[in-house]
Each structure stands twice: as structure tokens, then as C-alpha cells.
């Protein structure tokens, strides 16, 4: 799993929840670092914040999907960008912040099945 989120608290919460579920997790604090991490080792799932400074989640998803069209992505956001997400990654689910570990677990399983 690759978690890309500019908020360190959210990134750590997601990462810890995924590790608790048995996943191996790498973290990236921004889109550019996330793309570098993705290119070095393609993960089973990218958990991606939609609103980030610099490269947005939309930018990151577009770049990932241009080279890996079937890559599972789970967007997380405190805002409702459903329409924007559907244009970029029609199969990617959106998990709205704040969320609990159980909701994350369910969304991850769903995203992996879709991918």
C-alpha cells in the first residue's frame, strides 16, 4: 500500500490502520514524493488525498493511470469532489474525512476488488 497525504496525522492514522490489518505500507507526504515511491515499487493500492499543495490528488492519479490504467486508487478527502474524481478515475472510490479505521478497511477491500 502507498499512502499519499500531506497531513502527517491523517497519513499516520491511515498507515497504522492498514498495518494493523496486515498490509505493508509506504508513505509519501506529497504528490511528487508519492509518484517517485509509486515508480520505484508499484503498490497493490494507492490511498490518495485529493486536495494537496503542489501536485494535487487529481494530478497524481492522472499520472499514475496514464502508465498503469488498472491501478487501484482510493481517494480520501475532507471535501466532496465526487464529480472531479469520476472524471479522472471513474472506478476509484472516495472515502470522506473524517473516517474510522473500520470504514477505511471496508473501502480498501472494495477498492482492491474493483482494481
Amino acid at each position: 500500500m502507498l499512502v499519499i497525504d500531506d497531513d502527517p496525522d491523517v497519513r499516520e492514522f491511515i498507515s497504522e490502520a492498514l498495518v494493523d490489518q496486515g498490509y505493508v505500507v509506504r508513505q509519501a507526504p506529497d504528490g511528487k514524493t508519492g509518484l517517485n515511491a509509486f515508480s520505484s515499487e508499484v503498490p497493490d493500492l494507492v490511498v490518495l488525498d485529493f486536495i494537496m499543495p503542489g501536485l494535487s490528488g487529481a494530478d497524481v492519479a492522472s499520472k499514475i493511470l496514464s502508465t498503469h490504467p488498472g491501478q487501484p486508487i482510493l481517494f480520501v478527502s475532507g471535501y466532496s469532489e465526487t464529480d472531479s474524481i469520476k472524471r479522472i478515475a471513474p472506478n476509484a472510490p472516495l472515502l470522506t474525512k473524517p473516517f474510522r479505521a473500520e470504514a477505511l478497511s471496508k473501502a480498501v477491500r472494495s477498492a482492491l476488488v474493483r482494481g
Side-chain angles (χ1 to χ4, degrees), residues 3-25:
V3 178
I4 307 171
D5 196 309
D6 63 308
D7 183 324
D9 294 332
V10 173
R11 191 173 61 246
E12 192 60 34
F13 170 77
I14 293 170
S15 297
E16 285 180 13
L18 292 173
V19 167
D20 288 348
Q21 295 169 37
Y23 296 108
V24 175
V25 178

Side-chain angles (χ1 to χ4, degrees), residues 54-71:
L55 286 177
S56 71
D59 297 331
V60 173
S62 292
K63 290 181 185 302
I64 287 173
L65 294 173
S66 71
T67 58
H68 294 79
Q71 174 63 45

